């Protein structure tokens, strides 16, 4: 049974889609909001000034933290919409309530991504060592153009250039300009952008390859390793690696859990280590598939600002024929784990008690979500933090990451030289150990979430390569290029 969230469709004049820590994904109309669009200068419908007015009107009416808006900000001091948004919500960011969660993006690009995972790029997720000036592929998407060229998990990028004659070493780029220099060298996210690389596959020799960015649809659950059953000493354990919460994840998740159900699986590893979130509808489905015996119980509660309290809602677990009742869950997370990923995890805590653990390192810490406010004539979609979520016990303030609220935490490294889903990969091995023997097998995760990763002995400190202004796809798939 679902109720509450859909009622938003009756009151909003702009297109709304809930994204992140909670909410719905409805669209519809009500009170008009004036302003909009793209372009700069002037006073037209899509001028910079009118776009800024649109932003301010939305924030004044809907922003979750109305007392944490800097109303002294002068719009004429800013040459783009995003900088203006950042300045308006800076007080909330200073309290870790809105760490660049409110942003402007493209309607067309975001719709393409959420509908089918479509975006333009090489189809790889990149991470960098903070101390060694090295960049690695930490995940490669099978439908992208780089995968057939030899890019896979653990592949190191040695050099990059617009052609084989002007290659620059990654180490020199990192030394001179840090991660942003590498991001710039990779070029814009447009089809046809071509780069030559020297790559070093795991256990292989350096190879020079040329790859052109192309439109591709990201498979949210890999056909190689995304859904499987691991035989752990005779006990069958379900493993699901969800890359992102998009519409096309629905059939993949249902198929995976139907297989778990048929095989009698009740213990599950949720590998969400790089999952930046996405549609709440998919988070709700994920919850339903994990809790067959809790239909009608509270999955999560959504709370808006006081002036919008009539739109507060409760989501209940719904009946799904493919569902299981998980008796023990190990969630693999890292600082790239955010939003809808944290929502699902937090919502499981009241029902699992001591039989759930966070494995890996601390998560990002985003217990809030955004609605989307559209100005279709200008291809502008404004994502603004509008709600917070909490589980059935009322817990929802994990702004420093899930480690602060999880009953058990188990530190583990991210072994990028072993494929995801492999029982020998460090985080998967630790997850299996927790499912086998409980917290006795664990060393607690320490440190904050947000932009850090806890470091285990002998492993490098690695972060996702992420531009300051991500594309629509990069917002939900951090590290995507």
């Amino acid at each position: 049974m679902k109720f509450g969230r859909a009622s938003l469709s009756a009151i909003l004049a702009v297109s709304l889609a809930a994204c992140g820590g909670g909410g719905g994904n409805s669209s519809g109309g009500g009170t008009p909001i004036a302003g909009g669009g793209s372009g700069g200068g002037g006073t037209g419908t899509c001028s910079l000034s009118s776009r800024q007015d649109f932003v301010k009107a939305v924030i004044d009416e809907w922003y979750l933290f109305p007392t944490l808006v800097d109303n002294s900000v002068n719009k004429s001091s800013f040459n783009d919409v995003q900088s203006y948004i950042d300045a308006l919500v800076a007080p909330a960011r200073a309290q870790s309530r809105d760490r660049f969660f409110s942003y402007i993006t493209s309607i067309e690009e975001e719709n393409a991504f959420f509908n089918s995972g479509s975006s333009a790029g090489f189809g790889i997720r990149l991470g960098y060592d903070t101390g060694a000036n090295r960049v690695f592929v930490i995940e490669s998407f099978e439908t992208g153009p780089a995968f057939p060229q030899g890019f896979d998990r653990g592949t190191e990028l040695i050099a990059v250039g617009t052609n084989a004659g002007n290659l620059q070493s990654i180490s020199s780029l990192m030394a001179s300009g840090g991660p942003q220099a590498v991001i710039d060298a990779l070029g814009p996210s447009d089809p046809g952008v071509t780069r030559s690389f020297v790559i070093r596959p795991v256990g292989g020799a350096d190879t020079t390859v040329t790859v052109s960015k192309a439109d591709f649809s990201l498979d949210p659950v890999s056909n190689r390793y995304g859904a499987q059953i691991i035989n752990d000493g005779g006990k069958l354990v379900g493993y699901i690696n969800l890359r992102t919460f998009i519409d096309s994840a629905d059939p993949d998740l249902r198929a995976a859990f139907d297989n778990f159900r048929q095989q009698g699986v009740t213990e599950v590893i949720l590998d969400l280590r790089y999952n930046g979130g996405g549609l709440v509808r998919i988070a709700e489905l994920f919850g339903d598939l994990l809790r067959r015996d809790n239909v009608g119980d509270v999955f999560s509660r959504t709370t808006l600002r006081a002036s919008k309290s009539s739109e507060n809602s409760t989501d209940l677990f719904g009946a799904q024929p493919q569902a299981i009742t998980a008796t023990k869950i190990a969630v693999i997370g890292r600082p790239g784990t955010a939003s809808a990923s944290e929502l699902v995890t937090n919502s499981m805590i009241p029902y699992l008690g001591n039989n759930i653990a966070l494995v890996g390192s601390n998560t990002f810490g985003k217990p809030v979500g955004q609605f989307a406010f559209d100005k279709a004539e200008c291809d502008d979609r404004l994502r603004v933090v509008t709600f917070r979520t909490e589980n059935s016990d009322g817990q929802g303030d994990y702004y420093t990451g899930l480690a602060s609220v999880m009953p058990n935490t188990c530190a583990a490294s991210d072994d990028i030289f072993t494929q995801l889903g492999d029982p020998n990969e460090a985080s998967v091995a630790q997850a299996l150990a927790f499912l086998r023997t409980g917290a006795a097998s664990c060393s607690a995760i320490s440190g904050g979430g947000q932009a850090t990763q806890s470091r285990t002995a002998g492993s490098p400190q690695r972060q996702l390569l992420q531009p300051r202004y991500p594309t629509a796809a990069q917002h939900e798939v951090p590290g995507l290029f």
Side-chain angles (χ1 to χ4, degrees), residues 50-97:
S50 63
R51 294 173 75 199
Q52 291 170 323
D53 291 342
F54 167 64
V55 164
K56 188 63 163 62
V58 171
I59 288 176
D60 285 347
E61 181 177 358
W62 287 95
Y63 194 57
L64 180 61
F65 311 110
T67 63
L68 298 178
V69 175
D70 186 352
N71 291 307
S72 69
V73 170
N74 185 344
K75 69 177 184 178
S76 64
S77 300
F78 301 91
N79 295 321
D80 63 89
V81 176
Q82 187 59 58
S83 296
Y84 180 56
I85 296 170
D86 293 345
L88 287 172
V89 302
R93 185 169 65 252
Q95 295 187 19
S96 294
R97 295 297 192 263

Side-chain angles (χ1 to χ4, degrees), residues 144-370:
F147 179 70
Q149 297 276 51
F151 291 71
D152 205 353
R153 181 169 169 83
T155 298
E156 182 173 4
L157 272 56
I158 303 299
V160 61
T162 56
N163 57 66
N166 63 6
L167 293 167
Q168 294 177 280
S169 72
I170 297 297
S171 60
S172 65
L173 288 168
M174 288 286 288
S176 63
Q180 187 60 49
V182 178
I183 292 169
D184 292 342
L186 293 172
S189 298
D190 297 323
V193 170
T194 300
R195 292 294 183 268
S196 292
F197 296 90
V198 177
I199 61 172
R200 182 176 298 161
V202 177
D206 290 3
T207 305
T208 301
V209 296
T210 298
V211 187
S212 295
K213 293 185 179 182
D215 286 317
F216 71 98
S217 294
L218 187 153
D219 187 356
V221 179
S222 170
N223 291 333
R224 290 189 292 160
Y225 52 76
Q228 55 184 296
I229 295 177
I230 299 172
N231 189 323
D232 186 39
K235 179 180 68 177
L236 300 183
V237 174
Y239 172 90
I240 184 84
N241 182 302
L242 181 64
R243 290 164 165 170
T244 184
F245 289 75
I246 57 177
D247 279 331
S248 55
D250 184 312
D252 286 350
L253 288 173
R254 291 181 186 276
F257 277 89
D258 197 40
N259 187 36
F260 295 167
R261 180 187 60 81
Q262 293 180 40
Q263 300 299 319
V265 168
T266 61
E267 298 188 12
V268 182
I269 298 171
L270 307 182
D271 196 339
L272 304 173
R273 72 182 77 191
Y274 312 128
N275 191 319
L279 296 175
V280 173
R281 184 187 76 79
I282 300 301
E284 294 169 350
L285 171 64
F286 209 164
D288 292 347
L289 292 169
L290 286 163
R291 303 304 309 164
R292 186 182 189 91
D293 290 351
N294 289 105
V295 173
D297 292 335
V298 173
F299 171 74
S300 67
R301 295 187 176 91
T302 300
T303 305
L304 284 71
R305 60 190 279 173
S307 62
K308 299 292 185 181
S309 61
S310 62
E311 298 307 318
N312 293 349
S313 61
T314 300
D315 183 75
L316 308 181
F317 288 104
Q320 304 293 346
Q322 305 87 0
I324 68 171
T325 297
T327 58
K328 213 168 188 180
I329 297 176
V331 181
I332 299 177
R334 301 202 74 76
T337 304
S339 199
S341 294
E342 294 174 305
L343 165 62
V344 171
T345 304
N346 186 53
S347 294
M348 293 297 109
I349 295 173
Y351 301 99
L352 274 297
N354 205 43
N355 289 320
I356 186 170
L358 174 65
V359 176
S361 59
N362 202 3
T363 63
F364 188 82
K366 184 177 180 285
V368 296
Q370 310 101 299

Side-chain angles (χ1 to χ4, degrees), residues 14-19 26-27 36-38 51 54-55 81-82 85 102-115 279 371-376 378-384 472 475:
V14 289
S15 172
L16 291 180
C19 178
S26 55
S27 63
S38 59
R51 294 173 75 199
F54 167 64
V55 164
V81 176
Q82 187 59 58
I85 296 170
S102 297
Y103 57 89
I104 196 82
T105 191
S106 160
I107 298 171
E108 182 180 3
E109 289 181 6
E110 188 180 86
N111 285 348
F113 177 73
F114 279 129
N115 290 339
L279 296 175
F371 289 138
F373 299 80
D374 287 351
K375 290 300 297 178
C378 308
D379 192 39
D380 263 2
R381 171 162 291 168
L382 175 62
R383 282 278 179 192
V384 173
H475 273 291

